[in-house]
Amino acid sequence: MSRIGKKPINIPQDIEVSNANGVLTFKGKKETKTLDTHNRVGINIDGKILSFSLLNDEKQSRAFWGTYRALANNIVQGLSAGFSKSLEINGVGYKASVSGKVLELALGYSHPIKYDIPQGVEISVDKNTITIKGSDKQQIGQIAAIIREFRPPEPYKGKGVKYSDEVILRKAGKTSKK
């Protein structure tokens, strides 16, 4: 049995939830998000409490039970508080700047890297820290991974783009012959 699926979701006052044929619609202050459950789980809305239940006792149904509960919780959390990820840039001459809807990165290559910022995502740069904010947890994580992939941190000096809470295991360099 899913421990995650059993937990009810408390919906804040500023979010409205409706169910139409297995499609949950979450309406926040600024935007509306939908979650299609494909009628794989039972949905119960009691005032400001959303809960999910099993339709049958198959293994796949139990897996969907916890998954849809987690996805719905992420939507509620994203609409009420939002999500953010921080990246750090380490290296001499490495820098980032935002101009309009484009993130421009100078990461030691012969050309600057330009990344178009998607709709609904806010990116800000402060010295060597890039902060990505938005309401979709999966999208924020994917954008952070794409930006990190432009120049992953290397293990000798730690140069590159890394998550702010990431720890780089350093390798020892060459030792001279005595």
Side-chain angles (χ1 to χ4, degrees), residues 83-89 103 105 107 115-118 121-123 130-134 136-153 160-166:
F83 293 101
S84 69
K85 284 248 184 210
S86 293
L87 298 168
E88 286 181 8
I89 301 174
L103 174 68
L105 301 161
L107 298 175
Y115 179 75
D116 294 325
I117 301 171
V121 175
E122 181 184 322
I123 296 180
I130 301 171
T131 305
I132 307 163
K133 294 179 182 177
D136 189 352
K137 186 175 185 177
Q138 190 273 332
Q139 184 183 29
I140 299 302
Q142 185 65 41
I143 291 170
I146 289 170
I147 293 171
R148 182 185 181 276
E149 199 60 33
F150 290 139
R151 179 70 86 169
V161 180
K162 69 178 191 83
Y163 298 111
S164 60
D165 58 350
E166 183 179 8

Side-chain angles (χ1 to χ4, degrees), residues 93-136:
Y94 290 7
K95 58 186 173 185
S97 64
V98 176
S99 57
K101 291 295 275 177
V102 176
L103 174 68
E104 193 168 324
L105 301 161
L107 298 175
Y109 296 115
S110 62
H111 60 283
I113 298 168
K114 295 184 179 184
Y115 179 75
D116 294 325
I117 301 171
Q119 185 91 21
V121 175
E122 181 184 322
I123 296 180
S124 61
V125 177
D126 182 43
K127 292 184 182 178
N128 67 340
T129 304
I130 301 171
T131 305
I132 307 163
K133 294 179 182 177
S135 64
D136 189 352

Side-chain angles (χ1 to χ4, degrees), residues 67-86:
T67 300
Y68 285 128
R69 190 267 178 205
L71 291 173
N73 191 43
N74 287 342
I75 290 173
V76 168
Q77 198 172 357
L79 289 175
S80 61
F83 293 101
S84 69
K85 284 248 184 210
S86 293

